[in-house]
Amino acid sequence: MNKYAKIFLALVCLAISGHTASSQAQPSSYLLQLGMKDSVYSKVLEEQRDFWVQLPEGFNPESKTTYPVIYLLDGGAQLGALAAVYSYYTGHHLPDMILVGISNRTNRTRDLTTSEVKFRNGGKVREATGGAEAFTRFLETELIPHVSSNYPTSPFRTLIGHSYGGLFTINTLVNHTELFDNYIAIDPSLDWDDQRLMKEAKEALKSRQFQRKSLFVALGAGQLHMLDESVTLDNVMQDTSEYSLFGRSIIEFSRFAESQPQNGLSFFWKTYPDDYHWTVPLPALRDGLIRQFEWYQLQSPTKYSSPDTPLDELLTLIKQREKVLKAHFGYSYPAMPEELFNQAGYMYLQMGQVVKSEVFFKMGIEYYPGSPNAYDSMADYYESQGDYANALANVTKAFELSGDEYYAERMKKIEKK
């Protein structure tokens, strides 16, 4: 079943032929294809950098629709988890988005750490460190422009990082605030270099503004002390050893961030007592994205499925949602996904509420004027009312937009009526 229809199906049984999802019909090889592999040569880093791109389900290369983008660090390791969360929650909880998984397989420590360190955890650091600013320049001047030039992206961007990637994510928020809109830092290594970035970030949160920015921080609290299992969330802040500095740094930063509402940052954090450093990404990805896109969720879905809701009230809800989406995205955004307009139109038609049906089909065209399917659905409405002239006009428009032979055949059938 199409994920958008689930919103209505919970309350109204929809029996709309021809509108089931195609996901279950995908060949098994599709499950292994998380994203298209791409690469770009970086003059900043002086090396070729790989990344993977996953486009939204139902992506039409002929459409002018653009999509927000999630940039995921350690994409080779984490893209599967992100794709799973995205697949389950897109529609009601999350908008259609483009997922970009960035490979950090080589030079990871160099690229994601924020200052140069020679010794760490009692030993000499043998890898290059402190290259976060160079890697940020790569993102800003090379990778993001490349993605924007080759894929249908909108300006709304989310950055997600785990461990050193979480450290990098918070550094980007603090020192390159405008580069992304949402930031998700999962088990960020804020203990790095004697908490150097954590201290800098606290000063920034106290003195600067972060309007229209959102940060979600996750802490895997299954093991807060390297050697002592008796150290828990209840007592970890009383421990003063290096063995608990990682967790204490995240808690200290998060509590401080929570105490600074004057800076305008939408800040959320969550601890996961049953998860460890290597398991926390999956639940944190889910919780972080749902929380940061809470404003995207359709309000009062029962009103749409109730036959008693006046049309004026439905139109008010749609206009209100359009304003909310524009305020958060920063640009005009359709009030609902195309398929929700479509599903609502068919639902009201089956209910015998033809005025509502016509209005929702027309709004589908208004918000998605380049969609052949929107015109084809409008033709279904007119055909159900015996208005074959308007049905033919809309199918003709669908054919003009797509050149699909299906619409040409349908035009012939309508012309005979």
Side-chain angles (χ1 to χ4, degrees):
M1 172 169 300
N2 192 285
K3 52 198 166 193
Y4 298 124
K6 292 177 183 177
I7 300 172
F8 293 139
L9 182 62
L11 301 153
V12 180
C13 182
L14 297 181
I16 304 171
S17 61
H19 291 274
T20 55
S22 60
S23 59
Q24 294 187 17
Q26 295 285 0
S28 59
S29 60
Y30 174 80
L31 300 175
L32 303 176
Q33 186 66 30
L34 290 177
M36 300 176 292
K37 189 174 182 180
D38 199 347
S39 68
V40 60
Y41 181 78
S42 170
K43 293 182 180 179
V44 173
L45 302 175
E46 298 183 339
E47 58 194 32
Q48 195 77 22
R49 299 302 301 233
D50 293 336
F51 60 96
W52 295 267
V53 178
Q54 180 171 306
L55 297 170
E57 181 182 342
F59 167 73
N60 179 3
E62 301 300 321
S63 172
K64 295 182 180 179
T65 301
T66 59
Y67 303 94
V69 189
I70 295 177
Y71 286 87
L72 175 70
L73 302 169
D74 292 318
Q78 303 294 349
L79 185 57
L82 175 61
V85 169
Y86 172 77
S87 175
Y88 274 92
Y89 290 95
T90 305
H92 177 47
H93 290 87
L94 303 174
D96 284 327
M97 291 186 279
I98 295 173
L99 312 183
V100 177
I102 306 167
S103 175
N104 291 105
R105 184 171 53 186
T106 57
N107 295 317
R108 180 178 186 273
T109 302
R110 179 201 69 182
D111 290 344
L112 301 181
T113 56
T114 51
S115 53
E116 189 173 0
V117 168
K118 298 296 185 182
F119 295 90
R120 179 169 166 81
N121 297 328
K124 185 176 181 180
V125 176
R126 300 186 181 280
E127 301 171 281
T129 58
E133 288 302 307
F135 195 70
T136 304
R137 288 199 302 276
F138 158 67
L139 294 183
E140 183 174 12
T141 65
E142 296 175 328
L143 181 61
I144 292 176
H146 175 88
V147 171
S148 298
S149 297
N150 290 278
Y151 302 95
T153 66
S154 75
F156 192 91
R157 296 189 289 263
T158 298
L159 177 65
I160 304 176
H162 169 241
S163 193
Y164 286 164
L167 177 75
F168 180 91
T169 297
I170 292 177
N171 181 72
T172 308
L173 169 68
V174 171
N175 294 308
H176 306 275
T177 310
E178 296 306 316
L179 197 51
F180 297 90
D181 300 276
N182 289 341
Y183 296 82
I184 297 178
I186 304 170
D187 250 11
S189 302
L190 289 171
D191 60 322
W192 179 262
D193 196 6
D194 192 29
Q195 301 179 315
R196 179 173 174 175
L197 176 67
M198 188 201 75
K199 297 168 186 175
E200 179 184 345
K202 287 173 66 176
E203 286 300 314
L205 293 178
K206 182 169 62 176
S207 60
R208 289 172 41 203
Q209 289 294 301
F210 294 87
Q211 299 289 341
R212 293 186 59 220
K213 304 298 175 181
S214 178
L215 172 63
F216 179 88
V217 174
L219 168 62
Q223 184 181 8
L224 291 173
H225 191 290
M226 290 180 171
L227 303 177
D228 187 353
E229 291 184 359
S230 69
V231 175
T232 67
L233 283 169
D234 294 329
N235 58 23
V236 65
M237 297 309 287
Q238 281 71 57
D239 190 86
T240 58
S241 71
E242 288 292 316
Y243 298 112
S244 65
L245 184 61
F246 181 91
R248 287 189 287 114
S249 300
I250 297 172
I251 293 171
E252 180 181 344
F253 170 79
S254 298
R255 287 177 176 173
F256 182 85
E258 202 171 37
S259 72
Q260 304 296 312
Q262 81 288 343
N263 61 28
L265 177 69
S266 295
F267 178 77
F268 318 98
W269 71 298
K270 185 172 180 178
T271 59
Y272 296 82
D274 297 324
D275 278 289
Y276 299 89
H277 188 64
W278 58 91
T279 66
V280 72
L282 180 57
L285 283 167
R286 173 196 177 277
D287 294 340
L289 286 171
I290 289 176
R291 189 63 184 267
Q292 289 192 327
F293 283 97
E294 192 171 20
W295 46 266
Y296 178 82
Q297 297 173 27
L298 186 69
Q299 300 301 307
S300 304
T302 57
K303 291 185 180 295
Y304 291 89
S305 58
S306 172
D308 298 326
T309 307
L311 178 58
D312 287 346
E313 185 175 353
L314 292 174
L315 294 177
T316 298
L317 285 172
I318 290 172
K319 291 302 179 183
Q320 288 175 342
R321 186 165 192 262
E322 186 175 16
K323 290 179 181 178
V324 168
L325 296 184
K326 184 175 182 179
H328 283 276
F329 280 122
Y331 51 88
S332 295
Y333 194 92
M336 293 198 304
E338 179 185 352
E339 290 215 19
L340 270 185
F341 285 118
N342 210 32
Q343 297 286 0
Y346 284 110
M347 179 179 66
Y348 294 131
L349 193 59
Q350 289 187 340
M351 289 180 177
Q353 298 194 348
V354 294
V355 175
K356 286 182 182 177
S357 177
E358 180 182 15
V359 168
F360 273 80
F361 282 133
K362 284 184 175 179
M363 282 194 293
I365 292 175
E366 176 187 347
Y367 285 104
Y368 298 93
S371 168
N373 186 60
Y375 288 96
D376 187 50
S377 297
M378 189 79 248
D380 282 342
Y381 166 80
Y382 282 122
E383 194 168 6
S384 74
Q385 303 305 299
D387 186 345
Y388 299 116
N390 274 317
L392 179 61
N394 278 274
V395 174
T396 301
K397 181 65 174 179
F399 176 73
E400 291 173 353
L401 287 170
S402 67
D404 193 321
E405 191 61 28
Y406 164 78
Y407 299 122
E409 291 300 318
R410 189 175 180 197
M411 288 163 59
K412 294 177 183 177
K413 293 178 181 178
I414 295 175
E415 286 173 343
K416 294 178 181 179
K417 294 183 178 182

